[in-house]
């Protein structure tokens, strides 16, 4: 409330709106009132009005009206455009502009801006203060060069606005006046470009391969040199001009090898014209270069012949006469598979392995006698002699197949049995000779050991011996007892006949071996349980049976298995196997002993078959059905012959016919059965096997059946009749309705 008699002053706070002007008018008690600036109660008020003294109980009404108008700003707006080329070809290039605007009593307003194609600059939005009537000049600086494009100048075109406007293409600028504060001058700046044709530039691509076109070299196969051929595919060389192709081979690490080669050539064609072609550069690569890298890549340069010196001897390296000269074309891409061959590294030389040989003598006094041995590994051999109880070390390559033979083990008055045992390797012993493969390492000591044991028996006391006969425990009769069936698990029974074993406890250990070209290889999957043997006092001979289980996957066609047997003192065999280094009491390990040998069955090869599929089509490619066709088939392979008459319905196929693998075959279609309404067909053949190539002459096809096991060939014979329509398919009559059954 306001006290009666009070006089009030009222003013409006800041009511300004950006970009607009406004006017304030007042009404007091319904009548216009003049506003003025005044100080009231110590407060300065702008555009304020006063009321008359307020009567008690009365209401004083005041109305303040704000009228706004757009203030307007003078200015210009420019949009960058390009013509003659897609904007993407400019890679986002920015174009630089400068402007100067001059107005009376305002001086110069200057500035700069940058635009990419499609962007717009507005002086109003940029906050540039310009006034109506100002004269402006906007100029574009020389744009940066763009490869493949020629800049043809900039033109300025007004889109909207008032006042003078003049574009100066030669000066790359536009002049204009700002004629209206509410309508800026809007224009475009268009840069014109013309694509430039690139001059034909010589180019080269290369394909490096062996002389047979291969892309791989096995280092082990290269003893001296290997020849590589680099085929250079060149383009845009000048016909009639002589060039030199200069090649260098680069190793996998990117370093240039000392292998260079070159070829001098003159492209054929109309003299002076640009032509394409190929030239070959041949490299002779030494074995040591091949062994020293995993890839070889050909780097090639093509020079004008008069720019280089071509060597007649030496390393074959071409040298430019002027170091500043450049080749007309080159191809030097490290990861280009076309210009690269890969190399299978050489097999590493096996490391030397130490073999510790120990001489053991039992049953006789050897004294100072030395026992002589020969170790033969491949073409390398060495002789060694050592006394009973002594040790010596031998050297052999890891992986080598070796024999260790004792030369003379006889001691007068005694018979002897020589056997060998291994520690860290498998040893096969026969006739005073040990056969073994040198392992790469020994887990225990880093060396492997062989114990050569001579057991002597007085001549009046016979030496222990064993003989074995192996057979198929699953065989139904004696004729099959020495054969194991392929594809099935097998059990081998080995009957051991022993003689002259001293009384005591023994363990017989069987091992199944595979005879591979006369070498014994252990069958790792076979399970053979040791068998205990007790020899009583006075007992001099007997038999023992051992059994070996062989899984089907170890029984392969044409394999030969041999059972080896060793007799050990019972204390030398534990549940973990034979104690390493233990010497057998008796052995029977003869890879060629028929009694110990079994073979596997050889399954009959699966037959090769031929099936004929028949298709008949009219000219529209529509099938002709319900018609039978007749053929005769004749195949021969040596003395094997197959001749068949075949009948097959269109859209069907014959049964599979057994045909000799590799047979030469002729298939002839019967002309009468193939003719429809007097029209003979066009006969074509196709096969499901890409190796079967069919030659067609009239109604006769010739082809060769593939070789191999269980090959099935489907031959499709297609008759196409140019003037024959598809016989109409008879309509199927409607099935009469079933009458209702009376209730």
């Amino acid at each position: 409330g306001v006290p009666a008699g009070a006089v009030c002053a009222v003013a409006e706070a800041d009511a300004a709106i950006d970009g607009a002007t406004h006017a304030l008018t007042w009404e007091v008690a319904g009548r216009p009132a003049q506003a003025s600036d005044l100080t009231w109660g110590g407060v300065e008020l702008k555009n304020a009005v006063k009321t008359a003294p307020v009567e008690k109980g009365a209401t004083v009404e005041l109305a303040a009206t704000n009228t706004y108008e757009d203030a307007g700003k003078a200015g210009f707006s420019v949009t960058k455009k390009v013509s003659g080329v897609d904007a993407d070809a400019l890679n986002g290039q920015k174009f630089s502009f400068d402007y100067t605007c001059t107005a009376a009593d305002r001086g110069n307003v200057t500035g700069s801006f940058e635009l990419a194609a499609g962007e717009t600059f507005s002086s109003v939005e940029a906050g540039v203060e310009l006034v109506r009537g100002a004269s402006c000049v906007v100029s574009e600086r020389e744009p940066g060069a763009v490869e493949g494009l020629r800049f043809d100048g900039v033109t300025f075109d007004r889109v909207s606005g008032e006042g003078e406007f003049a574009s100066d293409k030669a000066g790359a600028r536009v002049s204009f006046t700002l004629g209206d504060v509410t309508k800026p001058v809007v224009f475009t700046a268009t840069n014109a470009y013309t694509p430039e044709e690139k001059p034909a530039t010589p180019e080269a691509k290369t394909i490096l391969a062996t002389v047979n076109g291969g892309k791989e070299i096995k280092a082990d196969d290269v003893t001296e040199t290997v020849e590589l051929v680099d085929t250079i595919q060149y383009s845009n060389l000048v016909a009639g001009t002589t060039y030199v192709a200069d090649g260098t081979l680069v190793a996998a690490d990117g370093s240039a090898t000392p292998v260079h080669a070159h070829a001098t050539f003159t492209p054929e064609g109309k003299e002076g014209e640009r032509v394409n072609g190929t030239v070959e550069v041949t490299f002779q690569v030494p074995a040591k270069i091949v062994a020293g890298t995993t890839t070889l890549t050909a780097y090639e340069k093509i020079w004008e012949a008069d720019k280089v010196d071509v060597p007649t001897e030496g390393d074959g390296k071409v040298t430019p006469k002027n170091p500043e000269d450049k080749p007309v074309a080159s191809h030097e891409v490290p990861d280009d598979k076309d210009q690269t061959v890969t190399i299978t590294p050489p097999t590493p030389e096996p490391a030397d392995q130490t073999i510790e040989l120990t001489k053991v003598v039992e049953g006789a006094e050897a004294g100072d006698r030395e026992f002589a041995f020969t170790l033969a590994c491949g073409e390398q051999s060495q002789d060694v002699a050592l006394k009973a109880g002594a040790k010596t070390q031998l050297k052999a390559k890891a992986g080598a197949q070796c024999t260790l033979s004792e030369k003379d083990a006889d001691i007068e008055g005694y018979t002897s049995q020589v056997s060998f045992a291994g520690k860290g390797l498998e040893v096969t012993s026969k006739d005073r000779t040990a056969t073994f493969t040198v392992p790469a390492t020994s887990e225990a000591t880093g060396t492997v050991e062989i114990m050569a044991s001579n057991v002597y028996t007085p001549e009046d006391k016979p030496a222990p011996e064993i003989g074995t006969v192996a057979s198929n425990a699953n065989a139904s009769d004696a004729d099959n007892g020495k054969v194991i069936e392929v594809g099935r698990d097998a059990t081998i029974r080995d009957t051991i006949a022993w003689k002259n074993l001293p009384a005591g406890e023994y363990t017989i250990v069987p091992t199944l071996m595979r005879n591979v070209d006369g070498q014994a290889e252990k069958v790792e999957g076979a399970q053979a349980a040791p068998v205990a043997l007790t020899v009583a006092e006075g007992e001099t001979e007997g038999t023992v049976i051992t059994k070996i289980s062989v899984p089907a996957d170890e029984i392969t066609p044409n394999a030969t298995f041999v059972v080896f047997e060793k007799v050990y003192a019972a204390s030398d065999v534990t549940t973990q196997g034979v104690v390493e280094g233990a010497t057998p009491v008796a052995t029977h390990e003869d890879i060629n002993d028929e009694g110990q040998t079994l073979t596997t069955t050889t399954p009959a090869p699966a037959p090769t078959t031929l099936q004929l599929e028949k298709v008949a089509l009219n000219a529209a490619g529509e099938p002709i059905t319900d018609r039978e066709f007749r053929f005769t088939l004749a195949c021969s392979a040596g003395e094997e012959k197959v001749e068949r008459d075949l009948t097959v319905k269109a859209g069907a196929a014959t049964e599979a016919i057994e045909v000799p693998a590799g047979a030469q075959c002729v298939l002839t279609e019967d002309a009468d059965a193939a003719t429809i309404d007097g029209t003979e067909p066009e006969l074509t053949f196709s096969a499901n096997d890409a190796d079967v190539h069919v030659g067609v002459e009239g109604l006769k096809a010739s082809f060769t059946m593939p070789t191999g096991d269980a090959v099935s060939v489907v031959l499709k014979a297609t008759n196409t009749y140019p003037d024959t329509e598809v016989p109409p398919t008879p309509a199927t009559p409607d099935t009469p309705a079933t009458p209702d059954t009376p209730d």
Side-chain angles (χ1 to χ4, degrees):
V2 177
V7 177
C8 297
V10 180
E12 185 178 34
D14 184 15
I17 296 177
D18 289 342
T21 60
H22 79 282
L24 175 62
T25 60
W26 291 92
E27 287 186 359
V28 179
R31 295 181 179 181
Q34 182 66 41
S36 61
D37 297 337
L38 53 86
T39 301
W40 194 261
V43 179
E44 293 185 356
L45 302 175
K46 299 287 187 181
N47 294 322
V49 294
K50 293 191 297 182
T51 65
V54 179
E55 297 180 1
K56 184 177 180 180
T59 299
V60 179
E61 293 183 354
L62 290 89
T65 301
N66 286 0
T67 302
Y68 291 89
E69 291 184 0
D70 188 353
K73 292 185 179 180
F76 65 90
S77 172
V78 57
T79 299
K80 168 52 65 181
K81 292 186 175 182
V82 295
S83 67
V85 69
D86 191 285
D88 292 341
L90 302 177
N91 300 319
Q93 180 179 0
K94 294 282 189 177
F95 300 90
S96 300
F97 294 83
D98 300 301
Y99 64 85
T100 300
C101 292
T102 304
D105 302 328
R106 287 294 189 100
N108 293 337
V109 177
T110 61
S112 302
F113 58 90
E114 288 186 336
L115 296 175
E119 294 181 345
T120 299
F121 172 79
S122 169
S123 65
V124 175
E125 293 179 2
V128 180
E129 296 287 345
L130 300 175
V131 298
R132 178 179 180 181
S135 297
C136 296
V137 176
V138 175
S139 59
E140 182 177 345
R141 301 175 194 171
E142 181 76 18
V146 180
E147 184 178 358
L149 297 176
R150 185 183 70 242
F151 175 56
D152 293 331
V154 58
T155 57
F156 298 88
D157 298 286
R158 182 160 58 184
V159 177
S160 62
E162 299 178 357
E164 296 179 359
F165 187 91
S167 175
D168 178 7
K169 182 175 181 179
R173 63 186 180 179
V174 62
S175 303
F176 55 89
T177 58
L178 304 179
D180 189 332
V181 295
T182 62
K183 297 180 179 179
V185 177
V186 178
F187 59 94
T188 61
T190 303
N191 286 18
Y193 288 92
T194 300
E196 293 181 324
E197 290 189 9
K198 294 182 179 179
T201 303
E203 295 181 350
K205 294 182 179 180
T206 79
I207 300 176
L208 182 67
T210 65
V211 291
N212 296 322
K215 298 291 288 180
E216 183 178 352
I217 304 170
K218 293 182 179 179
D220 287 340
D221 294 341
V222 182
T223 56
E224 295 183 4
T225 62
V226 64
E227 189 172 288
L228 297 179
V229 178
D230 195 27
T231 302
I232 304 172
Q233 300 171 339
Y234 61 80
S235 58
N236 300 320
L237 295 187
V238 179
T241 299
T242 301
Y243 297 92
V244 174
D246 170 26
T248 299
L249 293 184
V250 175
D253 62 1
S255 62
T257 72
V259 181
H260 307 279
H262 65 273
T264 301
F265 66 102
T266 302
E268 296 182 354
K270 186 176 180 180
E271 190 165 346
E273 288 188 350
R274 298 280 180 175
V275 295
N276 305 333
T278 62
V279 62
E280 291 184 349
V281 176
T282 301
F283 298 90
Q284 299 295 333
V285 190
K288 66 178 182 180
I289 298 295
V290 174
T293 183
T294 57
T295 61
L296 285 171
T297 301
Y299 280 12
E300 296 285 0
K301 298 176 181 178
I302 298 179
W303 302 85
E304 292 180 346
D306 59 359
K307 301 287 187 182
V308 294
D309 290 324
V310 178
T312 57
E313 57 183 20
D315 63 2
K317 185 174 178 59
V318 172
T319 306
K321 296 177 180 178
N322 184 346
E324 302 298 323
D325 284 343
K326 303 294 182 184
V328 297
S330 63
H331 191 65
E332 300 178 333
V333 182
D335 55 356
D336 188 334
K337 293 182 179 179
D338 283 343
Q339 63 183 124
T340 300
V341 295
T342 58
I343 297 171
T344 302
T347 303
E349 183 72 19
D352 280 336
Q353 176 63 277
T354 299
I355 301 173
E356 189 170 83
L357 176 61
T358 301
K359 185 60 190 175
V360 177
V361 175
E362 297 179 8
E365 288 293 331
D368 291 333
R369 175 174 175 170
E370 288 189 334
F371 295 85
F373 295 85
T374 297
L375 176 65
C377 301
E379 296 181 357
Q380 305 295 320
S381 65
Q382 50 189 305
D383 294 326
V384 63
L386 69 165
K387 297 178 181 180
K391 296 182 178 182
T392 189
Q393 289 189 338
L394 308 173
K395 296 288 186 180
K397 295 291 184 184
Q401 300 285 330
C402 299
T403 59
L404 179 65
S405 303
E406 186 166 359
K407 295 181 179 180
D408 182 10
D410 294 340
I411 295 179
E412 187 176 354
Y414 291 86
T415 61
S416 63
Q417 179 178 332
V418 178
S419 61
F420 297 86
K423 185 176 182 180
L425 78 169
E426 292 280 345
V427 175
T428 300
S429 179
K430 178 189 174 185
D431 297 336
R432 301 188 178 186
T433 297
T435 303
F436 57 91
T437 300
V438 181
T441 59
S442 172
E443 295 181 0
T445 63
T447 61
V448 295
E449 298 180 33
I450 295 178
M451 280 65 68
S453 299
N454 292 9
V455 177
Y456 291 93
T457 304
E459 290 182 345
D460 58 352
K461 184 177 181 182
E465 60 180 87
I466 59 173
T468 76
V469 177
S471 62
N472 181 359
N474 306 117
S476 58
D477 54 60
D479 292 339
N480 295 319
K482 302 296 284 184
V483 179
I484 303 174
E485 186 176 349
V486 171
R488 294 180 57 186
D489 294 344
T491 300
I492 296 174
R493 178 194 296 110
D494 196 31
T495 303
I496 305 166
W498 60 267
K499 289 183 179 181
N500 307 321
L501 289 175
E505 300 294 329
Y506 300 93
T507 300
I508 301 175
V509 179
T511 304
L512 185 63
M513 312 298 284
R514 183 181 282 107
N515 186 339
V516 181
D517 298 328
Q519 298 294 321
E521 293 184 0
K522 184 178 180 181
V523 180
E524 298 293 344
Q527 300 293 321
V531 176
L533 170 65
T534 301
V535 178
E537 286 289 347
E539 194 175 10
T540 59
E541 61 182 74
T543 59
V544 179
I545 294 176
T546 63
K547 289 187 177 181
I548 303 172
S549 298
V550 189
D553 59 1
E554 293 282 7
I555 304 173
T556 56
N558 302 315
T560 300
F561 295 110
V562 182
V563 181
F564 283 5
E565 299 281 3
K566 292 182 180 180
V567 180
Y568 290 91
S571 59
D572 286 338
V573 182
T574 69
T575 56
Q576 303 300 315
V578 178
V579 175
E580 194 166 27
T583 302
V585 175
T587 64
H588 192 64
E589 297 179 323
D590 187 349
I591 194 68
N592 298 312
D593 187 335
E594 292 185 2
Q596 292 179 271
T597 300
L598 298 97
T599 58
T600 61
T601 59
T602 302
T608 298
T609 62
L610 172 67
Q611 192 173 19
L612 176 63
E613 180 182 340
K614 187 61 186 175
V615 176
L617 305 172
N618 66 8
E622 299 166 322
I624 299 172
T625 58
D626 297 327
R627 188 175 182 89
E628 284 189 340
F629 298 86
R630 297 192 298 273
F631 292 82
T632 58
L633 173 67
C635 297
S636 63
E639 296 182 357
E640 291 188 80
K641 298 183 184 297
V642 172
E643 294 182 355
R644 294 283 296 273
D645 292 327
L646 307 175
T647 300
V648 60
K649 197 172 183 179
T654 66
E655 63 181 6
I657 304 163
E658 290 190 16
V659 178
Q664 301 288 328
C665 295
V666 176
L667 183 68
T668 306
E669 183 167 8
D670 183 84
D672 292 338
T675 302
I676 299 178
D677 296 334
T679 302
E680 292 187 356
E682 295 177 3
L683 178 59
T684 58
F685 285 88
S686 61
N688 66 329
D689 191 323
D691 292 332
V692 178
H693 304 287
V694 184
V696 181
E697 182 179 350
L699 297 180
K700 181 185 294 185
S702 302
F703 56 94
T704 302
M705 291 293 291
T707 58
D709 196 18
V711 178
S712 297
V713 175
V714 179
L715 199 63
K716 181 187 289 185
T718 301
N719 287 9
T720 302
Y721 296 87
D723 303 315
T724 302
E725 297 182 357
V726 179
T729 302
T732 303
D734 296 334
T735 303
T738 304
D740 295 336
T741 304
D743 295 335

